[in-house]
Amino acid sequence: MRTADHAAAAARLRRLHHDRKPGEALVLPGAWDPASARIFAQAGFCALATPSAGVAASLGHEDGACPADEMFAAVARITRAVTIPVSADIERGYGLPPAEIAARLRAAGAVGCNLEDSADGVLLPTEEQAGFLADVRAALGSAPFLNARIDVYIRGAEEPLAEALARGSAYVAAGADGVYPIGAPTEDLAVLARALPVPVNALAQEDGPHPAELAAAGAARVTFGGGLAARAYAGVQALADHLLAS
């Protein structure tokens, strides 16, 4: 992607997070391959957020086991397939230094990213993650949207709301443009949205609140993790079962 095009797409993604009415959210489907990306774009969605779990599954890997080279290559194929901005879930950066994370995101055409604050199922110290985010922010520059995932709700923190507030504040101070308290209930989303000065990302799940309910609770951004890919693959499984039973 040319420098001017990349800058324009990054600016557009940033505007989409803020140019919304109260009670509305930016809904970003999780495209896992070029075909799904085109379908979502043609349906009218204005941006996408790739899911690491869905992309990994499409490449034959378990969630969290996809090599960095394959993940960034898959993101690049998705960005080439559409003309709308794409943010990439890159777990915690695959152990790459911040400068290389920024370079690979740019080469892949992504104009935003998620970075999570746990590794191997364990929460990292807040100060360590804040320092990492600050280094990534410096390497990215000001344009790409840096979304800081907060894993306290899925890692068994004793007081998840209090810790989410503390981590969110630290990550915003480090340069995060948004926070993603994955798995937070709607009542906690409302508290976080009031307390933190950046867009709060909520996870929409098939058996959970509708994106409109998450938006009403204060979420400014709604994503789906690997859920949409999983539903698509469940459809393939149902088709396979039907063919075998024919």
Side-chain angles (χ1 to χ4, degrees):
M1 183 181 292
R2 294 183 308 163
T3 300
D5 294 338
H6 191 271
R12 183 180 178 193
L13 181 62
R14 186 173 294 278
R15 285 196 305 272
L16 288 169
H17 283 84
H18 297 282
D19 293 350
R20 55 188 179 79
K21 298 176 183 177
E24 291 184 347
L26 173 62
V27 178
L28 300 178
W32 57 93
D33 65 6
S36 61
R38 287 197 183 103
I39 289 169
F40 290 130
Q42 290 167 1
F45 287 97
C46 52
L48 302 174
T50 67
S52 61
V55 172
S58 75
L59 298 172
H61 299 290
E62 297 294 326
D63 185 19
C66 184
D69 289 349
E70 293 189 41
M71 182 63 70
F72 283 108
V75 171
R77 289 191 291 272
I78 289 169
T79 65
R80 288 196 299 268
V82 295
T83 59
I84 57 178
V86 176
S87 180
D89 179 357
I90 54 169
E91 302 179 23
R92 199 181 177 264
Y94 308 102
L96 301 172
E100 187 170 352
I101 289 173
R104 288 198 180 206
L105 282 170
R106 180 175 181 77
V111 293
C113 70
N114 283 1
L115 286 169
E116 57 199 55
D117 63 355
S118 61
D120 298 322
V122 178
L123 281 166
L124 298 163
T126 302
E127 298 78 9
E128 178 183 340
Q129 181 68 2
F132 174 64
L133 291 171
D135 290 343
V136 173
R137 171 85 281 165
L140 286 172
S142 61
F145 196 93
L146 177 56
N147 199 34
R149 204 177 89 173
I150 300 172
D151 287 359
V152 296
Y153 290 94
I154 63 172
R155 300 303 182 205
E158 291 186 7
E159 298 183 15
L161 177 57
E163 189 159 353
L165 286 166
R167 285 176 178 262
S169 296
Y171 300 164
V172 172
D177 297 299
V179 296
Y180 181 15
I182 186 170
T186 53
E187 59 269 22
D188 286 12
L189 285 173
V191 174
L192 291 160
R194 289 194 299 267
L196 298 173
V198 297
V200 174
N201 187 157
L203 173 68
Q205 302 182 77
E206 186 175 6
D207 58 352
H210 187 273
E213 295 177 69
L214 297 171
R221 165 172 163 159
V222 175
T223 52
F224 301 84
L228 301 182
R231 290 167 69 176
Y233 292 135
V236 175
Q237 181 65 62
L239 175 60
D241 294 341
H242 172 72
L243 293 174
L244 285 172
S246 298

